[in-house]
Every structure is written in structure tokens, then in C-alpha cells.
Amino acid sequence: MHWHAYHWTGPAAERSREAERRLDSAQFLDSSLPPFRSGDWLARPADQVSETFVDPEEAVDWLAAWYDTYRDRMHHPDRICQQVRVEATLGSLRMGIDCRWEEWLHEGAYMCLVMVCCPHRAANHPCPTGVPARL
């Protein structure tokens, strides 16, 4: 198993363009908006993959680093203790469960950081970057 990282930040109002977030929509592939199902990120073009990891600890480090870059823009950056968030995420990734870190930002913006397991248990999409299922 490996993990693909994705991130999106933008005006929260853009998230209401629901058709672009659904796999069966004609706009889905061209959109950068977060899909409703995290596994559907794998159906998006490979250029939307921010990073790919084979080590879950490196994947969590990526999430934490990106989270920290937005910390000053968040309404409630510490509503979940960072250590608890990191430990829970690491456990989830090791079990093959996707993780989404999402927060409201000041000025009506929204941040979405996602780590998607590949291959995916529930979404039958090929690896967007062509990484073999077993490394």
C-alpha cells in the first residue's frame, strides 16, 4: 500500500458546486474541488496528486507540515490536539483508512488536506501515478 496526498484551499462557497465533486459529473475530472468521497481523488488526473508516500509516518508528517502552514489562518487550529490528530491519523493510515484534515479559515476560506490509501478498499480506481500496488 502507498498513500497519495491532496490539498485544496479556496473560498468555502466554491464547495457548493456539488456537481464538480461527484464522480458521475462531466465536470469532475477538470475540477480541483475535493470530491465527496475521499477515494474518488484517485480518479482525478495525476497532476492533482501533491505527493506520494510509501511510509505512513512520512505521509502524516506531510499532513502536519501543511496544517501548520495554515494554522494562522484557522478559526480553531487547536480544537483537536495536534499529537492526538497525528497519532490517530497514523493508526488509520496503517489500517488502510483515508484521512481528511479540514478546517475553516478566516475570510470565508476552507482548507482540505487528504491522504488517500492506494489501492483503495472502497473506490475501484487505478493508481493515478501508476505506482504498483505492491512495492
Side-chain angles (χ1 to χ4, degrees):
M1 174 175 296
H2 57 277
W3 297 270
H4 295 294
Y6 298 89
H7 76 280
W8 178 84
T9 304
E14 288 184 14
R15 295 174 64 237
S16 67
R17 297 194 324 247
E18 293 187 9
E20 294 178 39
R21 301 178 66 199
R22 297 186 189 283
L23 181 63
D24 61 356
S25 168
Q27 298 108 352
F28 180 81
L29 291 177
D30 295 325
S31 179
S32 64
L33 290 171
F36 283 110
R37 296 184 333 149
S38 58
D40 288 340
W41 276 107
L42 300 175
R44 292 274 177 82
D47 65 357
Q48 289 192 18
V49 176
S50 297
E51 296 280 343
T52 298
F53 300 95
V54 294
D55 180 342
E57 290 181 13
E58 290 179 10
V60 173
D61 288 346
W62 181 92
L63 286 166
W66 270 101
Y67 191 87
D68 285 343
T69 66
Y70 290 105
R71 181 174 290 282
D72 291 342
R73 297 178 56 197
M74 295 178 189
H75 289 283
H76 305 287
D78 299 315
R79 70 183 165 84
I80 299 174
C81 171
Q82 185 78 338
Q83 181 178 351
V84 170
R85 183 187 300 266
V86 165
E87 289 173 5
T89 300
L90 186 56
S92 294
L93 292 179
R94 286 180 173 151
M95 291 188 299
I97 300 170
D98 302 337
C99 294
R100 296 174 78 119
W101 292 12
E102 299 180 88
E103 294 287 344
W104 290 100
L105 305 176
H106 297 294
E107 301 173 11
Y110 196 78
M111 174 209 66
C112 179
L113 303 170
V114 185
M115 198 61 64
V116 180
C117 303
C118 188
H120 201 273
R121 291 179 178 182
N124 191 22
H125 305 300
C127 177
T129 61
V131 174
R134 296 199 184 273
L135 298 175

